[in-house]
Amino acid sequence: MKRLLYVIPVLVLILMLASCGNETVSIEDYEWKLRAVMKNDVDAAQDEDALVIAVGENDELYPDAKIVDVKLTAKNEKITVVDSTNDKTYSGTYKQIEKTPDGITYEMEIDGKEGFATVSPTEHYEGTDVPTLPINMGEYSVYFIPAE
């Protein structure tokens, strides 16, 4: 019996330590800033300059893309997208439909348009993981990264 009293706290400690660092990134964890807006068009994919139509900051890879200041916040299944460049605000809703160790997938509706999003870490070439939020809204895919 005494041995069992020692084993239970050790098992609880092991489970707690095993779960550390395995938290899945959620849409609510960050204020998100626009990284890029891309067309979901097979013909546009053949012409890289036509594929990316807007970026969140000057990008030497896409010098012809329009630069816009767009931020997204999400809380309690409500989304707010603020486009400071064009002085517009959009609102919508989201609902978690799948959660895996790699990320969370959401159904969403923003300003009457339906789509899907997945929040997950993306490994960059220098080896760091950066949370990303790609949203597929029919004709366009919109990519967000955490605002700094």
Side-chain angles (χ1 to χ4, degrees):
M1 182 68 166
K2 286 184 181 182
R3 188 169 196 217
L4 183 61
L5 291 174
Y6 291 112
V7 171
I8 291 175
V10 170
L11 287 175
V12 170
L13 180 62
I14 289 171
L15 288 173
M16 288 174 46
L17 290 174
S19 67
C20 289
N22 287 339
E23 293 183 28
T24 305
V25 179
S26 166
I27 194 170
E28 295 182 351
D29 291 343
Y30 298 94
E31 175 185 36
W32 301 90
K33 70 177 180 178
L34 179 82
R35 176 68 185 107
V37 177
M38 302 173 74
K39 290 182 183 178
N40 287 338
D41 181 351
V42 174
D43 294 330
Q46 306 306 313
D47 178 9
E48 195 172 284
D49 291 333
L51 181 65
V52 177
I53 58 173
V55 292
E57 55 191 38
N58 191 23
D59 191 325
E60 63 186 37
L61 295 175
Y62 311 107
D64 296 331
K66 182 178 179 182
I67 299 172
V68 293
D69 180 16
V70 176
K71 300 269 190 324
L72 180 147
T73 54
K75 187 163 177 119
N76 299 326
E77 297 188 351
K78 303 261 189 244
I79 295 175
T80 303
V81 179
V82 177
D83 177 353
S84 298
T85 304
N86 297 301
D87 197 29
K88 292 185 178 182
T89 300
Y90 306 94
S91 59
T93 59
Y94 65 94
K95 178 182 175 185
Q96 179 180 315
I97 58 172
E98 182 179 20
K99 182 175 182 177
T100 69
D102 296 326
I104 301 175
T105 302
Y106 301 93
E107 279 182 331
M108 47 181 45
E109 177 271 323
I110 301 173
D111 201 39
K113 294 181 175 50
E114 295 179 353
F116 295 91
T118 300
V119 177
S120 65
T122 299
E123 185 176 336
H124 284 249
Y125 63 92
E126 70 271 0
T128 60
D129 283 345
V130 175
T132 56
L133 171 61
I135 302 173
N136 185 328
M137 301 294 284
E139 291 181 48
Y140 299 97
S141 289
V142 185
Y143 294 85
F144 289 89
I145 58 175
E148 297 170 359

